[in-house]
Amino acid sequence: MRLADCRLAIIGLGLMGGSLAAGLAGRCRWIVGADRDPGAVELALARGWIQSGFTDPAAALRDCDLAVLALPVRAILALLGRLGSDLPLPPRLLDLGSTKSEVLAAMAALPAGVAAVGGHPLCGRETSGLAAADAGLFHGCRFAVIPVPACDPEAVALVEELVMELGAQPLRVGARRHDRLTALTSHTPYLLAVAL
């Protein structure tokens, strides 16, 4: 599958999710956004970054080709625990959490049929929220890509295409190495990018 043919669901429309939506606007067949804050959904729709929006993640996950979890790590883990029970199971999944070992373990425990990839864009801002989102946030940064073992190579290729469409450089790295370096650099994106 190519990104241009993809129905993309972004769960979490803060700085990272909003910037992802802005950076990919017009590059996917359809972008669906979900956020518990209705104001964030309305703003993303008004800016034309998403074509449809919901406060319920179940509605966004339904019929998507790739779901991106742009949430804090604890919220990612909670959502992963609901997939396949009270939330639809997407065929492909990417998270943007800042630590990876626990998230990758939860992804590996998902029901069969989900191609899951961990991700971490090595960039950021001092401000948060959708109002601070920027289509160019990822441009020129490294973007860690950590596939779950035995992940479908086509899903990894789709994630790497997404990363490159954002103007970032995909960088494959193991979850443990990523987390060790993240701890050493105290989440300083520049130092982490150099270390990787």
Side-chain angles (χ1 to χ4, degrees), residues 16 36 38 51-52 59 80 86 88 110 114 116 120 158 161:
M16 289 295 162
R36 65 182 180 181
Q51 283 73 56
S52 54
L80 288 173
D86 65 324
L110 287 170
V114 181
H120 182 200
L158 178 62
E161 182 187 358

Coordinates of all heavy atoms in Angstrom, one line a residue, residues 16 36 38 51-52 59 80 86 88 110 114 116 120 158 161:
M16 N 2.3 16.8 18.3 CA 2.8 15.8 17.4 C 1.7 15.3 16.4 O 1.9 15.3 15.2 CB 3.3 14.6 18.2 CG 4.6 14.8 18.9 SD 6.0 15.2 17.7 CE 7.1 16.0 18.8
R36 N -9.9 13.8 22.5 CA -11.0 13.9 23.5 C -11.4 15.4 23.6 O -12.5 15.6 24.2 CB -10.5 13.3 24.8 CG -9.4 14.1 25.5 CD -8.9 13.4 26.8 NE -7.8 14.1 27.4 CZ -7.3 13.8 28.5 NH1 -7.7 12.7 29.1 NH2 -6.3 14.5 28.9
P38 N -13.0 18.4 21.9 CA -13.7 18.7 20.7 C -13.2 20.0 20.0 O -13.2 20.1 18.8 CB -15.2 18.9 21.2 CG -15.2 18.7 22.6 CD -13.8 18.4 23.1
Q51 N -10.0 15.4 7.3 CA -11.2 15.4 6.5 C -12.4 15.1 7.4 O -13.6 15.4 7.1 CB -11.2 14.5 5.3 CG -10.4 15.1 4.2 CD -8.9 15.0 4.4 OE1 -8.3 14.0 4.7 NE2 -8.3 16.2 4.3
S52 N -12.2 14.3 8.5 CA -13.3 14.0 9.4 C -12.6 13.9 10.8 O -11.5 13.5 10.9 CB -14.0 12.7 9.0 OG -13.2 11.7 8.9
A59 N -14.5 5.5 16.4 CA -15.0 6.0 15.2 C -13.9 6.3 14.2 O -14.0 6.1 13.0 CB -15.8 7.3 15.4
L80 N -3.8 0.6 23.6 CA -3.4 -0.7 23.0 C -4.1 -1.9 23.7 O -4.5 -2.9 23.1 CB -1.9 -0.9 23.1 CG -1.0 -0.1 22.2 CD1 0.5 -0.2 22.6 CD2 -1.2 -0.4 20.7
D86 N -12.9 -3.5 22.9 CA -13.9 -2.4 22.7 C -13.5 -1.4 21.6 O -14.2 -0.4 21.4 CB -14.3 -1.8 24.0 CG -13.2 -1.1 24.7 OD1 -12.1 -1.5 24.6 OD2 -13.5 0.0 25.3
P88 N -11.9 -1.0 17.5 CA -11.6 -1.7 16.3 C -10.0 -2.0 16.1 O -9.3 -1.1 16.6 CB -12.1 -0.8 15.1 CG -13.1 0.1 15.8 CD -12.6 0.2 17.2
L110 N -0.6 -7.8 20.8 CA -1.9 -7.6 20.1 C -2.4 -8.8 19.3 O -1.5 -9.7 19.0 CB -1.7 -6.4 19.1 CG -1.6 -5.0 19.7 CD1 -1.2 -4.0 18.7 CD2 -2.9 -4.6 20.4
V114 N -2.4 -7.5 13.1 CA -2.0 -6.1 13.2 C -0.5 -6.0 13.0 O 0.3 -6.7 13.6 CB -2.3 -5.5 14.6 CG1 -1.8 -4.1 14.7 CG2 -3.7 -5.7 15.0
A116 N 2.4 -3.8 13.6 CA 2.7 -2.7 14.5 C 4.1 -2.3 14.4 O 5.1 -3.1 14.3 CB 2.4 -3.1 15.9
H120 N 9.3 7.3 16.9 CA 9.6 8.4 17.8 C 10.3 9.5 17.0 O 11.5 9.4 16.7 CB 10.5 8.0 19.0 CG 10.8 9.1 19.9 ND1 11.8 9.1 20.8 CD2 10.2 10.3 20.2 CE1 11.9 10.2 21.5 NE2 10.8 11.0 21.2
L158 N 5.5 1.4 4.5 CA 4.5 2.4 4.6 C 4.9 3.5 5.6 O 4.8 4.7 5.4 CB 3.1 1.8 4.8 CG 2.0 2.9 4.9 CD1 1.8 3.6 3.6 CD2 0.7 2.1 5.3
E161 N 7.7 5.5 4.4 CA 7.2 6.5 3.4 C 6.6 7.7 4.1 O 6.8 8.8 3.7 CB 6.2 5.8 2.4 CG 5.7 6.7 1.3 CD 4.6 6.1 0.5 OE1 4.2 5.0 0.7 OE2 4.1 6.9 -0.4

